[in-house]
Amino acid sequence: MSRVYNFSAGPAVLPESVLREAADEMLDYRGTGMSVMEMSHRSKAYQAIIDQAEADLRKLMGIPENYKVLFMQGGASQQFAMVPMNLMKNKVADYIITGQWAKKAWQEAKLYGQANAVASSADKTFSYIPDCSDLPISEDADYVYICENNTIYGTKFHRLPNTKGKDLVADVSSCFLSEPVDVAKYGMLYGGVQKNIGPAGVVIAVIREDLIREDVLPGTPTMLRYKTHADNGSMYNTPPAYGIYICGKVFKWLLDMGGLEVMGQINEKKAAVLYDFLDSSTLFRGTVVKQDRSLMNVPFVTGSTELDAKFVAEAAEAGFVNLKGHRTVGGMRASIYNAMPIEGVEKLVQFMEKFEKENR
């Protein structure tokens, strides 16, 4: 069977060359006589894998020396608790609610201190990013938190909020490595890798060293302290070794593509193919205000739940899979991450044009 065009929001499409390379190394990684899946994380061979992965990520993102890179488990959802446990020194934090994941992070933070919702776009089903130029930031806030790209609703902060000097913490799960980033603007950014970087099971955090402290909230477990992971080079316990190995291959692929500058240009071009069609279509329409549209996740509807279901079914038959929208919003969603080739989007648009003609 030939490969489908996989528009899943995550776990998501990976570069074909990376999968082929991993397949070639599956039984024997570079003369070790074993798979990376079987390899001790304490071995020299594995240490070289994780060291190279970190070095390549630092190069890709231009990570300053005073930031640590941590490879951890538990996904982004575990970070909803780890962030306040480690950073809520004054037990106050401000959250900007632009979707389900920011809301979940805010609700989790309320278990540990005063978590203020200083802005929200819930009034219009999270279809826009609120104005964050002059927010009521708390004087004693330990940090300001955002989910930078909203996978479910298809919105993106194209301009970071004015945090009035407070550290910005961002969940970048679904826009990780999709465009250039100025790491110094964040106290910390983190993301689950299963959308744009690798297989499910790894979360990567990039965190400024002064935020990695001993004085975390009382009762914070050893495994949920950033210091534990930073002091042990992400090897306090057995890391998600194979997942990190695949991430490392994706970092190399991105460097070979020309880095994040080039990737950002490709992603803009790719998203424009789909958005331009949606803007001119008489059947389909996008659900997000233009200036806040995500380059990674594109939700759209026909206005009829029956037609939406018909489209998803016929698209799957034609080799365009995982286009059903999130259960909380319905409709359709095309996730067009780094590894989705532009021809995949072009062919999807051709299919949508055909469907429109047949169902007008």
Side-chain angles (χ1 to χ4, degrees):
M1 184 188 168
S2 61
R3 278 174 65 77
V4 294
Y5 287 111
N6 178 12
F7 293 93
S8 170
V13 61
L14 284 166
E16 204 166 307
S17 60
V18 165
L19 295 175
R20 288 187 191 285
E21 206 176 291
D24 288 344
E25 293 175 345
M26 180 54 82
L27 293 176
D28 177 12
Y29 177 74
R30 300 188 183 178
T32 59
M34 66 180 111
S35 171
V36 175
M37 274 191 196
E38 308 168 288
M39 193 178 278
S40 166
H41 62 296
R42 302 293 179 201
S43 66
K44 273 186 182 171
Y46 191 75
Q47 189 65 52
I49 288 170
I50 195 169
D51 287 349
Q52 190 62 57
E54 180 178 336
D56 287 342
L57 182 63
R58 284 185 172 277
K59 190 175 176 183
L60 272 171
M61 295 177 76
I63 298 174
E65 277 184 26
N66 64 326
Y67 281 73
K68 289 276 191 196
V69 173
L70 309 178
F71 295 97
M72 297 177 286
Q73 299 172 66
S77 295
Q78 187 162 283
Q79 295 302 310
F80 299 168
M82 275 183 85
V83 167
M85 280 176 162
N86 285 268
L87 305 187
M88 252 193 183
K89 214 173 176 182
N90 302 325
K91 292 206 171 184
V92 180
D94 290 347
Y95 280 68
I96 299 168
I97 316 297
T98 51
Q100 192 160 311
W101 303 114
K103 188 178 176 183
K104 284 187 173 180
W106 168 60
Q107 287 167 335
E108 193 79 357
K110 287 200 273 190
L111 299 174
Y112 302 100
Q114 185 186 326
N116 307 306
V118 291
S120 172
S121 54
D123 61 328
K124 291 184 182 168
T125 328
F126 302 120
S127 60
Y128 71 102
I129 297 291
D131 179 2
C132 296
S133 58
D134 187 18
L135 297 170
I137 303 294
S138 313
E139 265 182 51
D140 51 353
D142 291 299
Y143 59 86
V144 177
Y145 183 101
I146 61 169
C147 179
E148 192 165 322
N149 187 89
N150 295 283
T151 323
I152 294 173
Y153 300 96
T155 57
K156 165 81 160 69
F157 281 85
H158 293 294
R159 180 178 296 165
L160 294 175
N162 175 7
T163 63
K164 300 183 178 175
K166 303 297 180 188
D167 288 319
L168 178 66
V169 175
D171 173 353
V172 298
S173 294
S174 53
C175 59
F176 220 159
L177 305 186
S178 63
E179 59 186 355
V181 59
D182 183 353
V183 174
K185 287 183 175 174
Y186 304 80
M188 171 185 172
L189 53 88
Y190 74 85
V193 304
Q194 72 278 8
K195 297 171 185 293
N196 222 15
I197 304 174
V202 184
V203 63
I204 298 172
V206 179
I207 178 169
R208 211 174 59 233
E209 283 176 348
D210 61 289
L211 295 176
I212 301 171
R213 300 189 299 246
E214 285 275 12
D215 58 334
V216 295
L217 293 190
T220 300
T222 303
M223 272 298 289
L224 298 187
R225 297 168 185 238
Y226 293 129
K227 197 169 188 332
T228 301
H229 300 280
D231 288 354
N232 292 279
S234 300
M235 295 265 214
Y236 175 74
N237 68 329
T238 309
Y242 195 81
I244 294 167
Y245 154 77
I246 298 290
C247 290
K249 290 204 175 296
V250 173
F251 301 155
K252 279 262 183 274
W253 175 77
L254 284 164
L255 287 167
D256 290 345
M257 291 287 284
L260 300 190
E261 196 76 48
V262 171
M263 209 65 234
Q265 290 163 9
I266 293 169
N267 286 328
E268 281 182 21
K269 196 175 161 189
K270 200 162 58 176
V273 172
L274 187 46
Y275 284 125
D276 288 351
F277 169 72
L278 289 172
D279 290 343
S280 64
S281 172
T282 54
L283 178 63
F284 299 98
R285 65 172 181 85
T287 58
V288 173
V289 301
K290 276 190 183 180
Q291 68 268 25
D292 298 329
R293 285 169 165 176
S294 166
L295 295 180
M296 298 284 99
N297 312 97
V298 184
F300 56 97
V301 293
T302 64
S304 154
T305 48
E306 291 78 16
L307 261 188
D308 287 354
K310 187 183 181 198
F311 173 80
V312 170
E314 289 185 11
E317 270 176 44
F320 306 101
V321 303
N322 295 316
L323 281 164
K324 190 177 180 182
H326 191 272
R327 62 185 181 278
T328 57
V329 290
M332 284 75 67
R333 171 181 52 178
S335 293
I336 51 176
Y337 298 125
N338 286 346
M340 172 57 68
I342 195 158
E343 59 266 23
V345 182
E346 288 166 346
K347 285 181 180 175
L348 173 64
V349 166
Q350 285 165 16
F351 177 79
M352 290 168 79
E353 284 170 341
K354 179 173 168 281
F355 185 88
E356 184 170 313
K357 282 193 186 101
E358 292 168 358
N359 293 275
R360 256 204 290 256

